[in-house]
Amino acid sequence: MSDRNTFLAFGMAGVLAAGTLAASATMAAEDNFPDGNITFLVAAGAGGGTDNFARTIQPLLEERLDTTVNVINLPTASGAIAHQRTASGKADGRTLDFASSTLVTSLAAGQNPTGLDQLTPVARMQSDVMALVVNPDKYEDLEAFMEHAREQPGDTVIGGTAAASPDKMAFLAFQDATGLDLSFVPYDQEGSTAANVLSGNIDGMFNEISSITGYTESGKMKPILFFAEQPLEGFSEVPTTVGQGWDLTNGNERGVFVSAKTSPELVNRLESALHEIYQSDQYQQYAERVHLDYRDGWMGSDAYQQKLQQDLKQYRTLLKQQ
């Protein structure tokens, strides 16, 4: 064998050996996963829907993976810090980003520097139904609200949380579908939005049903429209967007993300664990208790990735039209 061929043979053997070692290391990491504590980075403040979601998953994942899970809330800049830390951190499957649809709405608005190419969705576990809610002393139903909005163009004011939120996207989609001339006022907190609806300072607000249950059960607020295909159980008299001929069903989704550099094997491992949790009695009881059971929340990694891309395109279009 010539020196050149000998050199090439040794070179090829080195490449193969390196590849074998890398593969072995990856397999070992997967076999030992998680081999340490797991961190949940919650892209929202304490006490909200996304935080409650993460803290419900925490003990269930600890049990299934025989590990300890630490929860850290990072609400700054609509959760952008949580997304950045997840994307730039170790791709070992031990840093999980718990996020709502604000991840993609803030990205559409140019307020989130972490793109969908930097994060891999593990699973969607919640699809919270969006509602248009009013003070019943002001509007009896959707027809009364629509009549006022048509007669007073520009004077009907809707509130929501933040200027690049699922609430704002619901407002823009509703306005686009109905052709109504409405105004949107963003508030820093959900409580401030609700207070202004109750006081009559604004005409209504968009919010997910899980967050307004206390108000609706007390009779202080009334949902007059749901972003859904079919009437919701317990709200048969409340019209739906699809029933009105408007193809609007997006609500506030919540899911789990990891760094895009994470191996498909680890993503599959996490997806499987989360799916088991989703199907468990403990999780389903929680979902029913907080009214997250009106529609199936589960969506696997690949399907959720496609849904996020579709949503991003839609939200960018809506923002350009405002």
Side-chain angles (χ1 to χ4, degrees):
M1 181 182 294
S2 68
D3 291 343
R4 181 176 181 277
N5 289 339
T6 301
F7 175 79
L8 290 174
F10 276 111
M12 183 61 69
V15 170
L16 292 173
T20 301
L21 288 172
S24 298
T26 299
M27 291 176 63
E30 291 160 6
D31 290 341
N32 296 327
F33 181 79
D35 193 27
N37 295 347
I38 287 177
T39 299
F40 287 179
L41 300 181
V42 181
T50 305
D51 180 60
N52 291 335
F53 165 43
R55 294 180 189 277
T56 298
I57 299 297
Q58 179 184 15
L60 302 178
L61 192 66
E62 286 180 330
E63 179 182 353
R64 276 163 177 76
L65 296 183
D66 189 25
T67 188
T68 298
V69 173
N70 302 308
V71 179
I72 301 174
N73 293 88
L74 294 172
T76 305
S78 298
I81 303 301
H83 310 322
Q84 286 180 307
R85 283 183 55 175
T86 302
S88 61
K90 290 183 178 179
D92 55 8
R94 288 168 49 191
T95 298
L96 307 184
D97 183 0
F98 279 68
S100 70
S101 291
T102 303
L103 164 65
V104 72
T105 60
S106 61
L107 182 59
Q111 298 179 1
N112 175 11
T114 305
L116 294 179
D117 59 333
Q118 297 172 271
L119 296 169
T120 293
V122 178
R124 186 192 77 179
M125 298 183 72
Q126 296 180 1
S127 180
D128 209 344
V129 178
M130 191 64 69
L132 173 57
V133 190
V134 298
N135 184 330
D137 293 335
K138 195 164 187 175
Y139 299 108
E140 181 180 357
D141 51 27
L142 178 64
E143 183 178 351
F145 175 88
M146 297 280 287
E147 181 179 355
H148 176 269
R150 284 191 291 262
E151 292 177 352
Q152 305 290 331
D155 291 338
T156 301
V157 180
I158 302 296
T161 307
S165 63
D167 305 352
K168 176 65 177 291
M169 299 306 161
F171 166 82
L172 292 175
F174 176 74
Q175 183 173 241
D176 180 62
T178 61
L180 295 173
D181 183 5
L182 307 170
S183 299
F184 183 85
V185 175
Y187 294 89
D188 291 337
Q189 298 180 351
E190 181 182 298
S192 300
T193 314
N196 278 276
V197 173
L198 293 172
S199 66
N201 288 336
I202 59 177
D203 295 279
M205 70 177 187
F206 280 107
N207 208 333
E208 59 264 28
I209 190 171
S210 67
S211 297
I212 60 172
T213 303
Y215 294 114
T216 58
E217 290 180 346
S218 68
K220 293 180 179 179
M221 288 191 190
K222 181 179 183 179
I224 59 172
L225 179 70
F226 288 123
F227 279 42
E229 296 180 352
Q230 302 293 332
L232 273 55
E233 183 179 351
F235 296 95
S236 59
E237 77 287 356
V238 180
T240 67
T241 47
V242 175
Q244 297 294 308
W246 308 320
D247 185 19
L248 310 174
T249 55
N250 269 9
N252 190 7
E253 303 181 345
R254 300 184 184 93
V256 182
F257 299 78
V258 292
S259 165
K261 299 184 291 290
T262 307
S263 72
E265 291 77 16
L266 285 180
V267 173
N268 290 340
R269 180 84 176 267
L270 287 166
E271 180 182 342
S272 178
L274 291 175
H275 193 222
E276 288 180 9
I277 289 172
Y278 180 82
Q279 294 179 311
S280 69
D281 290 340
Q282 300 100 309
Y283 184 85
Q284 289 301 319
Q285 289 167 6
Y286 148 75
E288 182 179 0
R289 186 172 65 252
V290 296
H291 303 280
L292 287 165
D293 59 339
Y294 285 112
R295 57 189 177 199
D296 187 13
W298 178 261
M299 190 173 278
S301 179
D302 292 341
Y304 191 22
Q305 179 72 267
Q306 293 178 15
K307 177 68 163 52
L308 289 165
Q309 294 288 356
Q310 293 169 0
D311 290 346
L312 179 60
K313 182 178 179 180
Q314 177 190 2
Y315 296 150
R316 281 174 170 166
T317 299
L318 287 170
L319 287 167
K320 288 179 181 178
Q321 294 174 349
Q322 69 173 328

